[in-house]
Amino acid sequence: MLPQRMKKAITDNPKKLSNLIDLVNLPSTLREFVGQSQTSRLGCFMRVWSYIKTNNLQDSNNKNVVICDEKLKSILLGKARVELAELPDLIKLHFPKSRK
Amino acid sequence: MGKIPASLRPAISATSLLKNPPVIPKDQLGKVPIKRNPTQPSHKILQPQQPQPQHNQRTLFKSRDLTEAKKIYTSFISTAKAPPDIRFHNSFLQSYASISTVDDSISLLHHMIKTLPAFSPDRSTYHILLTQSCKSPDPSLHPVHQTLNLMVSNGLKPNQVTVDLAVRALCSAGREDDAVLLVKELSLKHCKPDTFTYNFLVKCLCKSRELNGVYSFIDEMRDVFDVKPDLVTYTILIDNVCNSKNLREAVRLVGVLRDCGFKPDRFVYNTVMKGYCMLNKGGEAVGIYNQMRDEGVEPDLVTYNTLIFGLSKCGRMGDAKKFLRTMVDAGYVPDAVTYTSLMNGLCRDGDVLGALVLLEEMEAKGCSPNTCTYNTLLYGLCKARMLEKGLELYGVMKEGNIQLETAAYATLVRALCKEGRVAEAYEVFDYAVESKSLTDVAAYTTLESTLKWLKKARNQGLAV
């Protein structure tokens, strides 16, 4: 079942998928946060999201908002408060489209 | 599996009062464990060449070193009081073969014969080597030929079991084309495949080849070796073309099958019907049902389930319910598949309340919902903008560790985002990833595109 779904995703849009899961050399700011020199956009998102969860950075009054600590600020444009909804877009900024 | 909470029911009280459903103690439902008959050992009877020493298999050989293995064998022989029977030797060889190379296994066999002249390898001894050589990483058929030659030179002609073992081993290693070559060669020299081997190979070829490639294999087997396709072969072919939505070819195949003197049976009809249902052609599916009746082929549970699924899918709920009654009259008990198909149809119509009534009826009859039922209902509830009820159901699913399906997941995430509950959407994303319902990629892509959509909707002032 799953491989087939995977196959479909690839045949549907191979570029979009590679953009999501290809390993990319990270810029220095991100490298410090992730602790690796290479990761995929998906991996990076997962890392940031789990960082938010483990450090309880969601606003207790409004869970949709993340209150950034210094470390998070450094990679999210220095914003103090970030909406969860814009998280994927903010991370995308570190992964410019035209590579190679 | 979890139980649908009672609090989901008030939503349906208005409708269910009219129907006066039977009161059933809820806590007894959905909990009935399906006891499996303890018949597992029966499988072992089919494999006589793997007796007791199997337990030692893991520890017997620590390395694939040949001299080591020979030493172990010699020590076994010298310490054993009575001469062990052939099954002992075979399983000894088997356990070595499972970790070594083909050449080493053959050398070990030679060593075994030399040390103990009383041991004469039988067919299954060579079959062990054959299976191993089929699974060997060598891309050519050389190791297979090597073992077959060894077998023949020891006076054992390959028989149908040999062919079957080789074909299955090759196919499971994804080497269908080699399997075809080997079957042709063996048919020419020794022995033709039996119908089971043949049909198994056709089924594997359907997955790996284009349709024409499969046909050319069938034609060649018929013209050269006089191995004719039977009703099962045709059913496999029809199933294959139906799954690729090529119904015209399916109908042609039914014609061919009749020309060959076969009478389509229940399985053929069920398969064709499934094909029509997948294409939302309810009318044609009913046509097949009528044809079955005309020809005196008794419909079974699968027939009715397919028909109800197809009719629900293309929105003909009235007909679907009619067939539900026909089915019950014919003595078949509707199962989770039947009910889920109907619920799916009702949800498509936007009648979630009707689907919940059906859930009640289903549970009252002692039929517990399955993963698909939960997902259908979750999808329906979210579509019908009954998010709170949907979340409640989602909670139950989470508790019971029930996996989410793509559609249900996407609808739930979208419904949550629409309400501005992005954090909860992220939680659903986490559950989908944790429970391995979807791949990380699929789950994330859905979340990302939904958030993108949300941004757009917010800009247009459509969402919170």
Side-chain angles (χ1 to χ4, degrees):
Chain A
M1 189 87 188
L2 273 180
Q4 208 168 3
R5 206 180 289 157
M6 197 71 174
K7 216 191 280 169
K8 199 169 167 279
I10 293 167
T11 46
D12 272 2
N13 201 337
K15 245 189 197 161
K16 212 172 177 180
L17 186 70
S18 71
N19 174 295
L20 186 59
I21 59 172
D22 279 358
L23 292 181
V24 172
N25 288 324
L26 295 177
S28 56
T29 43
L30 212 52
R31 201 172 295 186
E32 219 161 89
F33 182 86
V34 178
Q36 283 167 320
S37 60
Q38 279 192 327
T39 187
S40 65
R41 184 153 65 86
L42 179 61
C44 180
F45 172 80
M46 294 298 230
R47 186 62 72 91
V48 174
W49 170 227
S50 70
Y51 180 81
I52 293 171
K53 277 185 292 183
T54 45
N55 292 297
N56 273 329
L57 295 178
Q58 278 164 287
D59 189 340
S60 51
N61 294 322
N62 181 3
K63 286 264 186 194
N64 295 339
V65 176
V66 180
I67 303 171
C68 298
D69 62 359
E70 287 307 315
K71 225 175 155 189
L72 209 52
K73 259 186 205 170
S74 68
I75 61 161
L76 298 180
L77 301 178
K79 290 190 179 187
R81 292 167 69 83
V82 171
E83 287 230 22
L84 267 183
E86 43 181 359
L87 194 59
D89 275 348
L90 288 173
I91 287 168
K92 217 174 183 174
L93 293 176
H94 293 288
F95 294 82
K97 247 181 193 169
S98 53
R99 305 254 335 162
K100 283 163 212 167
Chain B
M1 207 165 267
K3 188 164 72 78
I4 308 271
S7 48
L8 270 179
R9 289 162 212 283
I12 58 179
S13 57
T15 33
S16 55
L17 269 178
L18 299 173
K19 291 198 172 176
N20 214 356
V23 183
I24 300 284
K26 293 279 150 38
D27 41 337
Q28 284 178 16
L29 293 171
K31 278 188 185 173
V32 188
I34 303 162
K35 279 191 186 148
R36 293 187 193 281
N37 290 333
T39 48
Q40 277 164 331
S42 66
H43 289 289
K44 286 196 177 153
I45 301 166
L46 297 171
Q47 302 169 334
Q49 67 263 63
Q50 289 175 359
Q52 294 335 63
Q54 215 184 358
H55 300 292
N56 304 339
Q57 263 189 23
R58 300 265 146 56
T59 51
L60 195 52
F61 297 105
K62 287 193 183 67
S63 74
R64 48 201 289 183
D65 182 39
L66 183 60
T67 40
E68 190 82 358
K70 285 180 179 170
K71 248 184 245 163
I72 295 175
Y73 184 73
T74 319
S75 74
F76 261 127
I77 298 304
S78 52
T79 50
K81 287 186 186 91
D85 71 350
I86 183 127
R87 299 202 298 183
F88 167 80
H89 298 285
N90 283 348
S91 58
F92 182 85
L93 185 62
Q94 168 103 58
S95 35
Y96 183 63
S98 65
I99 57 160
S100 72
T101 63
V102 180
D103 287 336
D104 281 354
S105 302
I106 292 175
S107 313
L108 180 65
L109 179 61
H110 285 315
H111 172 80
M112 285 162 75
I113 300 170
K114 220 162 55 189
T115 13
L116 192 74
F119 164 56
S120 69
D122 66 351
R123 199 176 284 280
S124 45
T125 318
Y126 291 106
H127 284 169
I128 292 168
L129 294 179
L130 180 66
T131 321
Q132 189 199 0
S133 59
C134 288
K135 286 177 178 158
S136 78
D138 192 331
S140 75
L141 277 175
H142 175 70
V144 182
H145 286 138
Q146 199 182 348
T147 45
L148 283 173
N149 289 339
L150 191 69
M151 187 169 169
V152 173
S153 61
N154 281 288
L156 288 164
K157 258 177 83 96
N159 64 4
Q160 290 187 329
V161 180
T162 319
V163 183
D164 194 71
L165 279 172
V167 166
R168 280 173 205 266
L170 282 171
C171 285
S172 75
R175 297 169 61 186
E176 286 86 359
D177 290 333
D178 285 335
V180 170
L181 284 180
L182 193 68
V183 163
K184 283 181 196 162
E185 195 187 320
L186 286 171
S187 310
L188 198 66
K189 290 190 194 155
H190 303 288
C191 168
K192 291 174 195 165
D194 63 4
T195 53
F196 299 103
T197 318
Y198 175 72
N199 285 333
F200 176 81
L201 185 54
V202 169
K203 198 170 174 181
C204 290
L205 284 177
C206 282
K207 282 180 197 146
S208 71
R209 280 190 184 180
E210 292 290 317
L211 199 52
N212 283 335
V214 184
Y215 286 166
S216 67
F217 170 71
I218 289 175
D219 288 342
E220 194 176 350
M221 287 306 283
R222 182 177 51 211
D223 297 341
V224 183
F225 304 113
D226 198 37
V227 179
K228 293 197 184 84
D230 63 357
L231 198 54
V232 178
T233 321
Y234 280 111
T235 314
I236 292 169
L237 288 173
I238 292 173
D239 186 46
N240 180 43
V241 294
C242 281
N243 286 340
S244 54
K245 304 191 174 166
N246 187 353
L247 258 293
R248 183 184 294 190
E249 184 63 16
V251 172
R252 190 190 73 86
L253 280 170
V254 174
V256 174
L257 166 167
R258 281 181 201 275
D259 291 343
C260 293
F262 293 111
K263 195 173 168 296
D265 63 357
R266 201 190 290 156
F267 301 101
V268 174
Y269 280 124
N270 285 349
T271 313
V272 178
M273 193 187 275
K274 177 190 76 176
Y276 279 123
C277 289
M278 288 199 307
L279 290 176
N280 281 339
K281 291 191 169 169
E284 277 85 348
V286 177
I288 297 285
Y289 173 77
N290 290 333
Q291 202 180 341
M292 282 174 87
R293 299 292 300 270
D294 291 345
E295 296 196 8
V297 179
E298 192 57 35
D300 64 355
L301 183 64
V302 178
T303 318
Y304 286 113
N305 276 348
T306 315
L307 204 52
I308 290 172
F309 164 76
L311 289 170
S312 306
K313 192 160 173 269
C314 61
R316 293 170 59 176
M317 285 313 296
D319 290 331
K321 281 181 180 159
K322 199 184 85 192
F323 276 108
L324 179 68
R325 281 192 292 275
T326 319
M327 171 180 179
V328 174
D329 289 343
Y332 292 102
V333 185
D335 61 3
V337 179
T338 326
Y339 283 114
T340 309
S341 305
L342 283 168
M343 285 179 200
N344 187 6
L346 288 169
C347 289
R348 273 165 202 266
D349 272 2
D351 183 11
V352 197
L353 297 182
L356 288 174
V357 173
L358 212 55
L359 176 73
E360 187 129 320
E361 187 186 321
M362 171 179 176
E363 289 195 321
K365 290 196 175 149
C367 176
S368 42
N370 62 18
T371 308
C372 197
T373 318
Y374 283 103
N375 276 290
T376 307
L377 285 173
L378 182 58
Y379 173 82
L381 284 168
C382 293
K383 273 272 169 199
R385 310 205 166 194
M386 295 168 68
L387 183 56
E388 289 312 316
K389 294 282 166 208
L391 282 176
E392 212 169 308
L393 184 65
Y394 166 68
V396 176
M397 291 173 72
K398 211 168 152 180
E399 228 168 77
N401 228 347
I402 298 165
Q403 295 203 324
L404 288 166
E405 281 165 15
T406 321
Y409 165 72
T411 335
L412 182 58
V413 167
R414 198 179 157 105
L416 281 169
C417 286
K418 203 177 199 166
E419 299 274 319
R421 296 158 77 170
V422 181
E424 284 170 76
Y426 269 66
E427 268 168 46
V428 176
F429 166 77
D430 280 343
Y431 176 68
V433 171
E434 266 165 40
S435 64
K436 297 201 167 57
S437 308
L438 290 92
T439 55
D440 292 6
V441 173
Y444 176 74
T445 317
T446 308
L447 182 69
E448 191 186 30
S449 57
T450 311
L451 290 175
K452 206 185 238 172
W453 163 83
L454 178 69
K455 197 173 155 195
K456 217 184 249 171
R458 274 180 180 166
N459 284 342
Q460 293 172 350
L462 292 174
V464 191

